[in-house]
Amino acid sequence: MDWFLVAVAVVGFLILLVINVYLIVAYQHPDDKNEAYFPKFLILIGFTLAQGSVLLLPLDVANNAAYTGCAYSSSSCGGLNMSLVWEIIYLTILTYVILLIPFAIFYYESDDGLGNAKNSMFCSALKYEIVVLVCSVLTLVLMYTYLGYTEIPVSTYALTVVDNTVGSITAGSWTDTSNPPPFSDLTTTDFENAENALPSTTSTITMLVTFPIYCMALLGFVGWFFFVFFAGVGLASLPVDLICGYVYRPRHMDAIEFAEAQLSVRTRVNELIEIGELLKRERTAKEDSSQGYWARRRGNKADRQTVNKFKQAVYMLENDVEELKLCHENYASYNPLIPIFNLFLGIIAMVLSLLWILQICLFILPSPPLTPFLNDYFEWFDTWFSLFGVISVAVFSFYLECCVVKGCFKFGVRFFFITLHPMKLNGTYMNSFLFNLGLILLCSLPVVQFSTIAFADYARFTNVNQIFGVQIKYLQFFSYFWTTNAFIYAILGMAVLSTAYLMCKPRDLPADPVKLRENLKMNRRR
């Protein structure tokens, strides 16, 4: 066992714990300061799990466990059982997604501030959690029973072994047969280019995957729908918002400009107070009405979108008030390096997003790939220092996680189908923490799977590549989505559409109060 890798893993885990403790303390709402310890503990461990699962990929790359030469010499292998680690991490995440987070949300939101007894809150949360748990377990068990088989295509090529010690093979019909390449130097692209040149026979191996592997497959499949949507939006919106933070930075206002801006803010405040009163009266009227089920359902859907618009308008107003203070009374204490730092991060994010799009277009979608692209870059970086390439994989993978969170928030601000759960310094309630944690955990497995596909050459000797690239890829029912690259095309299309949309409308605007009042009046007529 490589104790250096063990030390890196332990130190990395402790660093993540410290960072997440700081995030919870810095972002929690003052109302939750000395309360909600159970959700806080779940959030701390959950964020560490999500971040750790993404950072396990570079650790798996460094471990190099699937390298054939490990059977003869352990000098180039870490000796860690990464397959077991992956299974433990994702089974824990599955437990979070279907058990702990739903229960914590139900328990936290059952507190209406009127002094509900703890037993009553616990029973209410437990009642809803049993329904979620039964549905999830039944779905998982039934699908594993009938669809738990993987059908792995196997192509046998006529290759002559030269030296078992180092794992070298003859180049067959490659150009230079006098100097065969080492097995460790062969890439996915090499074998795909050799398919037509070497004699081969094709067959299929059907086998039942283990239950933990199937749990990973189903969890990842569900997560991919969220990942495609939010990561696609985030790849475009994260750099745009950071750059807009510089372009629309606070500028000093004189007394007249500040007074006009204050008047505009007061007008918006009065309008939102009026709309809030209308919402309250409408809800009271609905409680007293005797509408049928479908009429109530249509009304609840329209009411939910109106409430989401109202929340977005309030959130935008709070941000505008803070910026207004920075433009006048707090301008002297404003740090001018913040917008410059935003611009710097925006340029880096733009480069990373562009590199991800190019990796999709040049390596993932074409068959055979046009170029390994980032895979070559990582391997070239490793020639300088063995951890440079591994760190680069961690940066690219973790960037996808950031895009998921940004994409969810951006969609909630621009559209109103989902409730807005922003992360604000000293202003984030536990239900928003739990919502974002659930989303991150759901998307953590697709992030790793997508990174494994994108960096297949560089990660070819990892255990996770054997799990995602072999067992899960050819599972019954799921195989269509992986072999046709359906999700990859979807995320590329979402990123392109989001970029075009944000080029036309780069700034977030508050919901129109006039339209909000009209919507409320229409809902009352219904």
Side-chain angles (χ1 to χ4, degrees), residues 202-243:
T202 303
S203 59
T204 301
I205 297 176
T206 302
M207 57 181 288
L208 180 68
V209 299
T210 62
F211 186 70
I213 294 296
Y214 197 83
C215 290
M216 291 174 62
L218 185 57
L219 178 65
F221 179 74
V222 175
W224 264 99
F225 289 95
F226 295 93
F227 177 71
V228 162
F229 199 83
F230 294 129
V233 174
L235 283 170
S237 61
L238 185 54
V240 169
D241 278 7
L242 287 170
I243 294 174

Side-chain angles (χ1 to χ4, degrees), residues 166-186:
V166 296
S168 296
I169 59 174
T170 59
S173 297
W174 280 293
T175 55
D176 184 9
T177 58
S178 61
N179 185 22
F183 186 80
S184 60
D185 290 343
L186 297 176

Side-chain angles (χ1 to χ4, degrees), residues 43-351:
I43 292 164
L44 173 63
I45 303 301
F47 275 134
T48 305
L49 271 175
Q51 297 156 356
S53 67
V54 173
L55 298 179
L56 276 181
L57 176 58
L59 181 66
D60 202 350
V61 171
N63 191 52
N64 215 28
Y67 174 49
T68 307
C70 290
Y72 314 103
S73 173
S74 60
S75 60
S76 58
C77 307
L80 302 179
N81 187 353
M82 291 302 298
S83 295
L84 178 61
V85 174
W86 284 113
E87 291 179 3
I88 292 173
I89 288 293
Y90 284 120
L91 285 179
T92 307
I93 289 177
L94 180 65
T95 304
Y96 255 81
V97 171
I98 68 174
L99 178 62
L100 298 178
I101 291 180
F103 179 81
I105 291 176
F106 296 142
Y107 181 84
Y108 182 80
E109 294 193 344
S110 64
D111 184 5
D112 57 5
L114 300 178
N116 282 347
K118 297 295 182 181
N119 290 338
S120 174
M121 294 167 59
F122 179 84
C123 292
S124 175
L126 184 62
K127 177 178 62 177
Y128 290 112
E129 176 54 37
I130 289 174
V131 176
V132 173
L133 191 60
V134 169
C135 294
S136 302
V137 171
L138 277 177
T139 301
L140 185 58
V141 171
L142 289 175
M143 290 190 68
Y144 178 68
T145 302
Y146 295 102
L147 299 172
Y149 292 88
T150 184
E151 299 172 344
I152 305 171
V154 178
S155 297
T156 306
Y157 294 94
L159 300 173
T160 305
V161 176
V162 174
D163 187 351
N164 283 330
T165 303
V166 296
S168 296
I169 59 174
T170 59
S173 297
W174 280 293
T175 55
D176 184 9
T177 58
S178 61
N179 185 22
F183 186 80
S184 60
D185 290 343
L186 297 176
T187 65
T188 305
T189 307
D190 291 328
F191 283 107
E192 288 178 348
N193 289 336
E195 284 181 357
N196 297 326
L198 296 171
S200 65
T201 57
T202 303
S203 59
T204 301
I205 297 176
T206 302
M207 57 181 288
L208 180 68
V209 299
T210 62
F211 186 70
I213 294 296
Y214 197 83
C215 290
M216 291 174 62
L218 185 57
L219 178 65
F221 179 74
V222 175
W224 264 99
F225 289 95
F226 295 93
F227 177 71
V228 162
F229 199 83
F230 294 129
V233 174
L235 283 170
S237 61
L238 185 54
V240 169
D241 278 7
L242 287 170
I243 294 174
C244 284
Y246 171 79
V247 174
Y248 302 106
R249 62 192 180 276
R251 290 180 170 84
H252 184 262
M253 290 182 176
D254 57 29
I256 297 177
E257 292 174 328
F258 184 70
E260 292 176 350
Q262 275 188 319
L263 181 61
S264 174
V265 167
R266 290 195 190 98
T267 302
R268 289 168 61 186
V269 170
N270 293 332
E271 289 175 339
L272 290 177
I273 291 175
E274 180 185 349
I275 293 170
E277 293 296 330
L278 288 174
L279 278 170
K280 193 180 297 184
R281 286 200 295 269
E282 182 189 357
R283 287 195 168 183
T284 304
K286 281 187 177 181
E287 291 175 358
D288 298 335
S289 67
S290 57
Q291 291 179 326
Y293 171 76
W294 293 109
R296 285 200 310 271
R297 181 162 181 157
R298 287 193 299 270
N300 290 338
K301 182 179 179 181
D303 181 57
R304 185 165 56 250
Q305 289 191 8
T306 303
V307 171
N308 289 341
K309 290 180 181 179
F310 177 72
K311 288 182 177 180
Q312 186 261 13
V314 172
Y315 172 77
M316 297 294 294
L317 176 62
E318 291 174 347
N319 285 347
D320 289 345
V321 170
E322 292 176 2
E323 289 188 5
L324 182 60
K325 291 180 179 178
L326 292 175
C327 293
H328 188 72
E329 55 191 72
N330 296 336
Y331 187 77
S333 61
Y334 178 65
N335 188 348
L337 294 179
I338 293 177
I340 297 175
F341 186 63
N342 284 337
L343 177 62
F344 175 72
L345 291 180
I347 294 172
I348 293 177
M350 182 173 61
V351 172

Side-chain angles (χ1 to χ4, degrees), residues 258-469:
F258 184 70
E260 292 176 350
Q262 275 188 319
L263 181 61
S264 174
V265 167
R266 290 195 190 98
T267 302
R268 289 168 61 186
V269 170
N270 293 332
E271 289 175 339
L272 290 177
I273 291 175
E274 180 185 349
I275 293 170
E277 293 296 330
L278 288 174
L279 278 170
K280 193 180 297 184
R281 286 200 295 269
E282 182 189 357
R283 287 195 168 183
T284 304
K286 281 187 177 181
E287 291 175 358
D288 298 335
S289 67
S290 57
Q291 291 179 326
Y293 171 76
W294 293 109
R296 285 200 310 271
R297 181 162 181 157
R298 287 193 299 270
N300 290 338
K301 182 179 179 181
D303 181 57
R304 185 165 56 250
Q305 289 191 8
T306 303
V307 171
N308 289 341
K309 290 180 181 179
F310 177 72
K311 288 182 177 180
Q312 186 261 13
V314 172
Y315 172 77
M316 297 294 294
L317 176 62
E318 291 174 347
N319 285 347
D320 289 345
V321 170
E322 292 176 2
E323 289 188 5
L324 182 60
K325 291 180 179 178
L326 292 175
C327 293
H328 188 72
E329 55 191 72
N330 296 336
Y331 187 77
S333 61
Y334 178 65
N335 188 348
L337 294 179
I338 293 177
I340 297 175
F341 186 63
N342 284 337
L343 177 62
F344 175 72
L345 291 180
I347 294 172
I348 293 177
M350 182 173 61
V351 172
L352 290 175
S353 293
L354 180 61
L355 290 175
W356 266 118
I357 297 299
L358 289 175
Q359 185 71 8
I360 293 173
C361 297
L362 299 177
F363 180 77
I364 300 178
L365 294 181
S367 183
L370 300 178
T371 172
F373 196 46
L374 289 177
N375 292 278
D376 284 347
Y377 156 74
F378 295 151
E379 292 178 359
W380 171 71
F381 233 13
D382 276 345
T383 60
W384 293 11
F385 181 62
S386 58
L387 288 181
F388 279 175
V390 172
I391 294 172
S392 298
V393 172
V395 170
F396 276 86
S397 301
F398 196 72
Y399 179 71
L400 288 178
E401 283 277 17
C402 297
C403 289
V404 169
V405 178
K406 186 62 182 180
C408 178
F409 177 65
K410 176 61 68 175
F411 188 80
V413 170
R414 293 297 182 100
F415 305 96
F416 308 100
F417 304 108
I418 60 175
T419 303
L420 188 65
H421 288 278
M423 298 286 289
K424 295 182 62 178
L425 282 170
N426 298 315
T428 306
Y429 286 102
M430 287 298 111
N431 60 338
S432 293
F433 268 116
L434 291 167
F435 176 87
N436 289 306
L437 173 61
L439 177 66
I440 291 172
L441 287 174
L442 263 178
C443 294
S444 61
L445 194 146
V447 166
V448 175
Q449 187 174 4
F450 183 58
S451 300
T452 304
I453 295 171
F455 310 137
D457 281 359
Y458 187 73
R460 61 189 179 276
F461 297 132
T462 59
N463 290 123
V464 73
N465 187 46
Q466 294 180 339
I467 294 173
F468 288 128

